[in-house]
Amino acid sequence: MLDLAMYQNLGSSQFLICRMFLQADKESRSSLLSRGISGAGSSATRNQALRLPMSHRKNTVGIIAGVSVYSALTFLEKLAWMSSKDAEDCPPFLLSYDPTLIALRPNCSSPVIVDNLRGKRMFLEQSGVHCLVMPCHVSHHWYGEISEGCPLPFFHFGNCVAGELRDANLKPIVGGTAVRIGVLATYAVLEAGFYQEMLQKQGFEAVVPDKATVNHILIPGIEALSKGDMEGAQILLRIAIQILLVRGVNIVILASDEIQGILPDKDPLLKKCIIPMDALARAVLSWARLKGQMRANDHSGY
């Protein structure tokens, strides 16, 4: 999770923007809806939305926190760390987060969640961001409805992961078969099926865990983590990964927010895994660098 020190390392402008959005989002949704941001209305009315000083920068990233603010903060930490590793500034960003969505979710219908997240998407669009990202696996269940009509690049976990695997030029472990990729996730993500769909489009065979693995290994591992038993969670996650590797997969996608960060960074088993949040951050940084170069070229003659 990002703490205050990490925010300060991002620079004062990003910290202030992020803090303002976290505090003001409740009020902004109702006020912006009244101005037509999330529904019908003239373009003149919609253009009255707040545009912040850095929104003119072509590499500004809009972040929809979805139903998990912790995942959004993890994404920001990775974005900042990857930028600093390459001696670059973190791209400017705007974050939209509504804590009431988490409280509503267990009793909330899909249309209500979709409407909430679409409202955040439109708010960020009108605030002047140039791309969008939603670093929450559960929210990706409604990605198609949330992104419908979006005029901006809207990064998707599945596309980013499948694209990296395609570029890796993997060879099948078993001759004469397609490259097999494991998808380790809870039922919510597995049933959404977007990883399986994206992998198949790239010519991979998606391999998912059986019910016994999910029910008796993966879910107990997540429960162990929630009780503070990190060692137990690590043991069970390693077993779940090994089960998929034994089935002949080249790589295992750690495809649920709940299992991110359980294994230590130097765990050798992670060399056989791909972490979607990392792939998402890398894709956004590549986009931001390109847009930053375009902006520099635009001003090169001045």
Side-chain angles (χ1 to χ4, degrees), residues 2-302:
L2 253 68
D3 56 17
L4 181 58
M6 177 60 73
Y7 278 125
Q8 290 171 335
N9 287 338
L10 297 183
S12 59
S13 61
Q14 283 94 338
F15 165 62
L16 290 171
I17 289 161
C18 192
R19 181 176 62 184
M20 179 185 70
F21 271 63
L22 285 169
Q23 292 176 342
D25 194 73
K26 255 197 213 171
E27 168 207 6
S28 63
R29 173 155 169 76
S30 57
S31 64
L32 287 170
L33 284 176
S34 69
R35 287 187 259 168
I37 298 303
S38 137
S42 68
S43 58
T45 303
R46 288 195 296 270
N47 287 336
Q48 292 174 10
L50 173 68
R51 296 186 72 86
L52 295 173
M54 37 63 77
S55 64
H56 69 283
R57 294 178 60 178
K58 291 181 179 179
N59 62 342
T60 302
V61 180
I63 303 167
I64 303 170
V67 299
S68 173
V69 69
Y70 301 107
S71 295
L73 294 178
T74 298
F75 170 77
L76 283 174
E77 183 178 21
K78 290 179 180 291
L79 202 65
W81 181 81
M82 289 180 185
S83 299
S84 63
K85 187 181 69 169
D86 295 330
E88 298 176 353
D89 291 330
C90 181
F93 61 83
L94 307 181
L95 171 65
S96 179
Y97 165 58
D98 180 2
T100 61
L101 188 60
I102 298 175
L104 287 172
R105 185 187 156 212
N107 305 309
C108 209
S109 64
S110 292
V112 175
I113 296 174
V114 170
D115 179 66
N116 184 292
L117 295 176
R118 278 178 61 86
K120 289 172 175 52
R121 188 210 90 195
M122 294 179 182
F123 173 77
L124 290 169
E125 287 175 14
Q126 296 300 321
S127 298
V129 305
H130 291 269
C131 83
L132 288 159
V133 63
M134 187 167 59
C136 169
H137 273 100
V138 173
S139 301
H140 269 63
H141 182 79
W142 306 284
Y143 174 90
E145 297 161 271
I146 296 165
S147 63
E148 185 178 359
C150 180
L152 303 176
F154 195 154
F155 291 89
H156 186 288
F157 269 133
N159 273 330
C160 295
V161 170
E164 285 198 358
L165 292 172
R166 175 200 62 215
D167 295 341
N169 294 318
L170 300 171
K171 305 299 181 186
I173 293 175
V174 180
T177 64
V179 172
R180 310 184 87 199
I181 305 296
V183 182
L184 187 59
T186 56
Y187 286 123
V189 176
L190 292 175
E191 289 169 5
F194 56 83
Y195 277 112
Q196 297 92 307
E197 179 185 350
M198 300 295 181
L199 290 170
Q200 288 166 6
K201 284 182 179 178
Q202 296 295 341
F204 298 115
E205 180 186 347
V207 178
V208 301
D210 57 23
K211 287 185 178 181
T213 300
V214 176
N215 292 337
H216 303 303
I217 299 175
L218 185 62
I219 291 177
I222 294 170
E223 291 172 348
L225 180 66
S226 69
K227 296 174 183 176
D229 181 9
M230 178 61 81
E231 183 180 359
Q234 290 175 346
I235 290 171
L236 290 170
L237 180 56
R238 289 188 183 107
I239 293 171
I241 293 170
Q242 291 284 9
I243 289 172
L244 286 175
L245 290 174
V246 168
R247 293 173 62 185
V249 304
N250 290 62
I251 296 284
V252 176
I253 303 170
L254 302 183
S256 283
D257 297 327
E258 298 91 337
I259 60 178
Q260 307 296 312
I262 292 180
L263 297 182
D265 292 339
K266 294 183 179 180
D267 193 303
L269 205 52
L270 285 179
K271 293 180 180 179
K272 287 289 186 178
C273 299
I274 183 167
I275 300 172
M277 200 72 78
D278 290 354
L280 192 65
R282 284 189 289 265
V284 170
L285 273 180
S286 295
W287 172 89
R289 286 174 184 139
L290 178 61
K291 290 296 180 179
Q293 291 169 3
M294 290 172 61
R295 181 174 182 271
N297 292 337
D298 288 344
H299 293 277
S300 60
Y302 290 93

